[in-house]
Amino acid sequence: MAIFLLDPTYPENEDQQAEFAKRLNTLASELFTDLAIEEVDAGPSASIPGWAISVGAVGWFIFSAPATISENLPLWKSGFTKIVELASQLDLDFSIDLHDAAATAIFECSQQFSWNDSEIEIISCTRHSRNLNGISSNYILPTEILEPASWMEKHDEACKQLECRYTFLIRNSYDSATVLVDRKGRCEFAKML
């Protein structure tokens, strides 16, 4: 699971970046034991400093082990809530990654419609994003959601995360729903036939 944070010290107070990074690491280490904080460039053309904060592999792992989705979703939700609280404590603007958007959609469908977690399947996903280069939509194959991101993909993801939302089509046995997940992890639903 990961969130992307833009550096709040940039550009006016760049001399405070090291102090902020230290504070971020201290607060994060109090909440998590398996935390990784990486500096990322969130600029689509010019450089904009930011961080990718990752907590274990729970966000994408739940999709690779369908037999344990029911067990892993509450664990993921607990970690996700903590990482969002961290960003809120620091009063930071943040965006969730693709894997957490997918996990959010699955978790919220299971809660909203009382669906069995182990029968939920992502049929399609589209990322709608806006950054300094304009507006775009990208279709994401369901198989791409299963893969952990490389460094280059994290840069690409951070650039697209300045402002984005995801539209998922999710199926559970005989029902389906369209779920819109915004960059903060909030959901809107449209249940279909």
Side-chain angles (χ1 to χ4, degrees):
M1 115 184 24
I3 63 170
F4 296 96
L5 306 171
L6 293 179
D7 182 355
T9 67
Y10 179 82
E12 292 86 14
N13 302 305
E14 288 183 72
D15 56 328
Q16 298 174 7
Q17 183 180 23
E19 181 182 320
F20 173 78
K22 183 178 177 183
R23 183 173 167 224
L24 177 63
N25 277 299
T26 301
L27 273 173
S29 63
E30 290 172 5
L31 290 173
F32 304 102
T33 56
D34 57 344
L35 181 84
I37 298 179
E38 297 176 68
E39 285 192 43
V40 294
D41 180 359
S45 53
S47 183
I48 299 175
W51 287 276
I53 302 177
S54 306
V55 181
V58 176
W60 63 269
F61 178 74
I62 65 169
F63 303 113
S64 61
T68 61
I69 286 178
S70 296
E71 297 167 10
N72 286 334
L73 271 176
L75 173 66
W76 166 83
K77 183 63 174 172
S78 170
F80 178 74
T81 301
K82 284 182 183 179
I83 206 166
V84 168
E85 286 173 6
L86 170 65
S88 298
Q89 280 180 18
L90 295 171
D91 196 28
L92 297 175
D93 193 16
F94 69 94
S95 295
I96 63 175
D97 70 355
L98 166 64
H99 303 107
D100 284 320
T104 297
I106 288 173
F107 181 82
E108 296 298 337
C109 278
S110 71
Q111 301 298 303
Q112 178 81 14
F113 305 123
S114 300
W115 285 356
N116 181 344
D117 302 337
S118 63
E119 296 176 5
I120 293 175
E121 178 185 7
I122 295 175
I123 302 301
S124 68
C125 173
T126 304
R127 177 191 5 240
H128 313 277
S129 59
R130 180 175 66 187
N131 59 30
L132 300 175
N133 288 336
I135 297 171
S136 66
S137 283
N138 306 80
Y139 178 77
I140 300 168
L141 293 171
T143 54
E144 292 179 55
I145 297 169
L146 305 178
E147 300 297 325
S150 68
W151 178 87
M152 191 58 185
E153 290 166 330
K154 285 182 183 176
H155 165 72
D156 189 44
E157 186 84 6
C159 291
K160 291 176 181 170
Q161 293 301 115
L162 291 179
E163 189 167 328
C164 80
R165 61 183 55 145
Y166 297 88
T167 304
F168 293 95
L169 176 58
I170 298 181
R171 175 175 60 194
N172 182 36
S173 299
Y174 304 106
D175 291 324
S176 65
T178 299
V179 184
L180 180 68
V181 180
D182 74 7
R183 67 190 193 106
K184 306 281 188 194
R186 297 174 295 227
C187 292
E188 294 179 28
F189 301 94
K191 193 166 181 186
M192 303 168 72
L193 298 175

